[in-house]
Amino acid sequence: MPGTIQSIERAAQALHLLGAVPEPLPLGELARLLDLPKTTVHGIVRTLCEVGFVVQDPATGHYSLGSGLADLGRAVDPHLLRARVSHWADGLAARTGLAVEVAMLRGPTAELVAHVFRPDGSPQRLRVGELVPAHATALGHVLLAWAPVASRVRELALTAYTPTTPSTHVALGRALQLARRQGWAALDGGLTLGTAGVAAPIHHQVGTAVGAIGVVGPSDQVLQPSGAPHPGLVEQLLAAAHATASTLRDRL
Amino acid sequence: MSGGYVAAIDQGTTSTRCLVFDHAGRMVSLAQHEHTQHFPRPGWAEHDAAEIWANTQRVLPEALALAELEVGDIAGVGIANQRETTLVWDRSTGRPVAPAITWQDTRCADIVAEMLRGPHVELFEQVTGLTPAGYFAAPRLRWLLDHVPGLQRRARTGQLAFGTVESWLIWNLTGGPDGGVHVTDVTNASRTLLMDARTLSWDQRLLDALDVPAELMPEIRPNVEVHGTCRVGLPGVQIGGAFGDQQAALFGQTCFAAGEAKCTYGTGAFLLMNTGEAPAPSARGLLSTVAYAIEGEAPRYATEGSIAVAGALVQWFRDALEMIGSAPEIETLARRVDDTGDCYVVPAFAGLFAPHWEPDARGVIVGLTSYVTRAHLARAVLEATAWQTAEVVEAMTADTGIAFTSLRVDGGMTTNHLAMQMVADVLAVPVERPLGSESVSVGAAYAAGLAVGYWPDLEVLRANWRRAATWEPAMSAASRRRGRAAWDRAVQRTRGWVVED
Ligand SMILES: Nc1ncnc2c1ncn2[C@@H]1O[C@H](COP(=O)(O)OP(=O)(O)OP(=O)(O)O)[C@@H](O)[C@H]1O
Ligand SMILES: [Mg+2]
């Protein structure tokens, strides 16, 4: 058996201790109980503060367990995501003139958790709650590309809805790789010919996405003849995704 | 003014926001800070007006910074505020003489009971179009004059100023003790019980009836008009409008024509319908109120169904019962079940508001059986908002003879799709939300933009309105009837709970 990593072991001890005492501890007390030098313990708790597992009372300087620990293993609530994305999704629709959709991964499909109508007054139906095939939409590509479980892609049934649906594992793999490289995904006619989408990840924890936000509309309104999104679209999308991600932490 | 944007300050019950809009009415920036809710005794609800002013001074630069704007980019600023919340401050120190008494506070029950027994009830009704109730500002002012030592005497000397929150903010923004402008707008003034609804001026007989010194009172001004220039916060920017938040939302939803209506779902829920150029007193527990006044034009009136507790019930479910971690999570919990298990929550926390107006009512949860889980309760919490909406819609339809064919909604609770679906279901009409649900701020910005010439007229604003979502009714008429009847029985159970010792 390989040896244990000392710093992780000590961090775990610090967390156990903070979880066992009835009130926040000053650094000196923590160091005494752990039987370690103050400087060592200071490094440990500072790191734990940084990742949200420990918090320091700004008034007293004492340490206690942070909410990051309780959140471990808890998925972001889809309705919380909808509430937080709402301003930015509306803004995106207002500025681009396109419909906006927000999705989260449900097994192998993308579930729409928010939908803003194309702001042109035309009759439209609220699509929240609908499941869309992940391999055939830009939203789905983003969710798959930043999914915590990459192997998911292997389980997908790659139905070819149109001639341009990525319907082989090679084609899908290439699309996801491109998405990861550029930080967003675009897809033209994946589900319906003449309809295109561009989507970006809403990041929560490092490397994974809790959801994807995207615009959809007639291909020529979303993409240029070259196939690249219209100028400025990607920047607006990334800004909305980023703004949403930064609000996911506060209570409401 | 060369600015390319307009700003709005939305001073609400729970928070103070600053939003910046562009010419198309699109929000480009939002900054927000919550303030402390003080509940010193059951039924009391107070705010620290100094904290609210401090938060206002924080959100202004923050909103500009977020959009990378400078003060010179702002063509004008409009203010919307929580209505009826009452404060008195010292004109020379700029300090409030007591905590602000908020619109949710019920301490004035005795003052109102006395008003109702007294000789002036009919005068109040004739002049203001309103029956005295603890909801309005004047009884709160009377309470302050009675209970803050020396206040009545000092009030006569002109040292003190009364205002609702927009008065307080405008006075401070325009210099405070150093030349601050002491004004209110017609919509806020129409909620005091002291303004003549036709002449839009204070009525001396009503001031006398409550022994309120005229020296306290702000000047009443139209909503769309330059009130002054900021010396603090947004130095040099003109204050182009002020509005009670619910009338601001009606304006922001561009309900400019008689018969057009909206409902805003925030802390409470407020359904307002534009009734045109004459006040429309209600026979069914709705409030006649001023919708808006544009400088140099005839004022427009509205009828209002005020629901005191909507989102606040969700907040109570979160904070007092600790059933959920955040307000939106109530939808997740509620969707675990298909119905409320026949339980009902009637949130008469501050008595029943429209259309019943029973100050002695208190909240109930009825229909409890061992079958009922917290998921059923979550659903009943959301349904309470829908049934309360149904009650005021019925009263409004009966009053005005105008049947709703759809309902425009806005406010924080509209991100809850289950709640909005319930509203569509119980009303049996489609419910629609505009792009950007901050209609309160949109309305304040519109007022300011019109006043400073940033927008030319109402038609341009009307063209800015965009539909962002529609919920179609999907409930059978039979379930609607059954649910509605059960709701009535539940409401019945709240009545007469508060009794004198
Ligand atoms: N997804 C949701 N589901 C249910 N309730 C919600 C949801 N999101 C927000 N709310 C409720 O809506 C209210 C907040 O909405 P909003 O921000 O429009 O109100 P508000 O403007 O703060 O009210 P006020 O102006 O009185 O301060 C809160 O009471 C909150 O509980
Ligand atoms: Mg509000």
Side-chain angles (χ1 to χ4, degrees):
Chain A
M1 199 184 101
T4 57
I5 297 172
Q6 196 185 38
S7 59
I8 296 183
E9 203 169 35
R10 285 176 171 171
Q13 277 168 356
L15 290 172
H16 275 300
L17 237 170
L18 291 173
V21 294
E23 46 192 49
L25 285 183
L27 182 67
E29 186 68 4
L30 194 57
R32 197 183 58 77
L33 289 165
L34 288 170
D35 198 16
L36 288 169
K38 257 187 171 181
T39 47
T40 311
V41 177
H42 186 240
I44 292 171
V45 289
R46 234 195 30 227
T47 310
L48 289 172
C49 282
E50 207 106 298
V51 298
F53 289 179
V54 167
V55 286
Q56 186 177 22
D57 186 317
T60 60
H62 296 185
Y63 295 94
S64 54
L65 289 184
S67 65
L69 270 181
D71 291 343
L72 275 185
R74 234 184 49 191
V76 168
D77 184 279
H79 302 109
L80 183 67
L81 178 61
R82 186 199 297 142
R84 294 303 158 77
V85 82
S86 175
H87 278 136
W88 314 107
D90 279 17
L92 198 55
R95 257 174 280 286
T96 60
L98 297 166
V100 174
E101 295 175 347
V102 178
M104 293 174 86
L105 208 53
R106 272 288 158 274
T109 55
E111 180 177 354
L112 296 184
V113 300
H115 173 204
V116 183
F117 289 174
R118 192 172 59 250
D120 61 1
S122 66
Q124 292 162 75
R125 197 174 42 78
L126 204 52
R127 296 186 54 210
V128 168
E130 280 185 25
L131 298 174
V132 293
H135 70 285
T137 55
L139 284 172
H141 284 193
V142 165
L143 293 174
L144 292 174
W146 280 274
V149 191
S151 60
R152 282 271 163 75
V153 176
R154 293 265 148 245
E155 306 159 12
L156 296 181
L158 301 182
T159 310
Y161 296 98
T162 74
T164 49
T165 310
S167 56
T168 66
H169 285 291
V170 175
L172 182 60
R174 218 180 279 130
L176 300 189
Q177 210 171 26
L178 177 64
R180 269 191 295 265
R181 207 167 56 234
Q182 40 184 36
W184 49 273
L187 186 59
D188 188 8
L191 201 54
T192 319
L193 283 177
T195 298
V198 186
I202 300 169
H203 289 293
H204 191 30
Q205 303 300 346
V206 198
T208 67
V210 281
I213 179 168
V215 292
V216 285
S219 299
D220 60 341
Q221 287 176 28
V222 178
L223 306 174
Q224 307 174 62
S226 68
H230 278 298
L233 197 54
V234 167
E235 289 72 15
Q236 296 193 15
L237 201 53
L238 292 174
H242 182 77
T244 305
S246 64
T247 63
L248 275 174
R249 289 224 152 263
D250 354 312
R251 250 164 73 96
L252 188 87
Chain B
M1 267 291 151
S2 60
Y5 299 87
V6 286
I9 298 168
D10 173 6
Q11 202 305 298
T13 311
T14 50
S15 71
T16 305
R17 289 174 250 219
C18 177
L19 284 79
V20 180
F21 296 91
D22 67 12
H23 211 268
R26 299 178 298 207
M27 182 190 98
V28 298
S29 177
L30 182 161
Q32 173 171 7
H33 286 290
E34 295 200 357
H35 53 267
T36 318
Q37 307 290 322
H38 300 276
F39 301 111
R41 301 189 195 181
W44 288 31
E46 300 179 341
H47 289 160
D48 174 2
E51 182 185 5
I52 285 175
W53 169 234
N55 283 355
T56 307
Q57 288 176 281
R58 284 165 74 198
V59 293
L60 294 173
E62 284 174 12
L64 293 189
L66 282 171
E68 298 178 6
L69 298 175
E70 292 175 357
V71 174
D73 295 319
I74 305 298
V77 59
I79 298 171
N81 61 291
Q82 50 171 323
R83 305 173 306 172
E84 299 100 15
T85 296
T86 301
L87 71 149
V88 172
W89 68 92
D90 185 316
R91 293 178 197 265
S92 54
T93 64
R95 274 200 291 276
V97 300
I101 306 180
T102 79
W103 62 276
Q104 296 162 306
D105 189 292
T106 59
R107 78 182 68 173
C108 298
D110 293 346
I111 293 174
V112 173
E114 205 173 306
M115 286 171 78
L116 291 173
R117 279 194 303 267
H120 301 296
V121 186
E122 278 171 21
L123 184 65
F124 276 104
E125 289 179 344
Q126 270 167 23
V127 175
T128 67
L130 301 167
T131 303
Y135 181 33
F136 305 115
R140 303 202 163 97
L141 174 56
R142 187 61 255 157
W143 191 96
L144 287 172
L145 291 169
D146 285 341
H147 290 85
V148 180
L151 207 63
Q152 181 80 29
R153 180 183 49 75
R154 291 178 62 208
R156 290 193 198 291
T157 66
Q159 285 172 13
L160 303 176
F162 151 80
T164 36
V165 181
E166 85 297 348
S167 299
W168 169 242
L169 294 185
I170 294 170
W171 187 79
N172 277 294
L173 285 166
T174 54
D178 189 12
V181 178
H182 187 213
V183 294
T184 184
D185 74 277
V186 292
T187 63
N188 277 296
S190 77
R191 324 284 298 183
T192 55
L193 274 181
L194 298 171
M195 186 187 78
D196 183 324
R198 286 172 199 79
T199 64
L200 307 182
S201 53
W202 303 124
D203 187 294
Q204 190 59 48
R205 294 167 299 172
L206 302 182
L207 292 172
D208 291 342
L210 281 174
D211 196 12
V212 171
E215 290 81 2
L216 276 175
M217 306 304 284
E219 189 185 329
I220 302 176
R221 307 278 282 268
N223 302 100
V224 179
E225 184 211 53
V226 174
H227 295 322
T229 302
C230 292
R231 294 171 65 176
V232 188
L234 292 171
V237 176
Q238 290 184 310
I239 302 174
F243 251 130
D245 55 6
Q246 298 309 320
Q247 283 89 341
L250 187 71
F251 203 73
Q253 287 260 28
T254 68
C255 296
F256 303 136
E260 292 181 328
K262 66 85 208 182
C263 189
T264 302
Y265 293 97
T267 303
F270 298 86
L271 179 63
L272 274 76
M273 180 191 276
N274 186 321
T275 54
E277 293 193 7
S282 169
R284 292 174 184 82
L286 303 177
L287 303 179
S288 166
T289 198
V290 178
Y292 62 88
I294 298 177
E295 195 185 3
E297 294 182 20
R300 302 299 169 117
Y301 294 86
T303 180
E304 167 177 325
S306 329
I307 297 163
V309 182
L313 184 60
V314 177
Q315 250 161 341
W316 176 79
F317 197 66
R318 179 194 77 184
D319 297 337
L321 298 193
E322 300 182 43
M323 293 276 195
I324 44 176
S326 70
E329 285 167 54
I330 195 169
E331 185 169 352
T332 311
L333 182 57
R335 282 189 190 276
R336 281 200 212 153
V337 291
D338 294 326
D339 53 46
T340 68
D342 289 334
C343 87
Y344 288 79
V345 181
V346 186
F349 292 179
L352 285 170
F353 272 43
H356 309 287
W357 298 106
E358 299 206 23
D360 296 340
R362 285 299 179 267
V364 296
I365 302 177
V366 288
L368 291 179
T369 58
S370 20
Y371 175 78
V372 170
T373 65
R374 66 197 191 102
H376 294 103
L377 282 177
R379 237 185 138 91
V381 161
L382 297 178
E383 266 200 21
T385 289
W387 291 122
Q388 292 184 98
T389 309
E391 290 184 319
V392 298
V393 163
E394 283 164 23
M396 209 169 270
T397 303
D399 256 354
T400 62
I402 300 173
F404 282 72
T405 53
S406 66
L407 180 66
R408 288 187 175 185
V409 299
D410 56 80
M413 215 178 163
T414 57
T415 61
N416 191 312
H417 282 32
L418 182 57
M420 291 304 108
Q421 184 60 49
M422 287 169 172
V423 172
D425 284 345
V426 304
L427 298 184
V429 298
V431 166
E432 43 188 27
R433 152 182 111 76
L435 201 54
S437 292
E438 298 281 349
S439 300
V440 170
S441 293
V442 173
Y446 280 177
L450 284 169
V452 301
Y454 181 80
W455 284 296
D457 55 36
L458 299 183
E459 281 321 301
V460 168
L461 300 179
R462 193 187 274 285
N464 280 346
W465 195 91
R466 296 276 183 283
R467 186 180 297 102
T470 307
W471 292 271
E472 297 287 344
M475 184 188 243
S476 75
S479 333
R480 188 178 306 122
R481 261 196 315 276
R482 218 177 311 116
R484 185 71 185 77
W487 174 258
D488 276 343
R489 295 202 305 280
V491 169
Q492 197 53 42
R493 306 261 175 321
T494 67
R495 296 198 152 103
W497 178 255
V498 179
V499 290
E500 277 172 45
D501 303 326

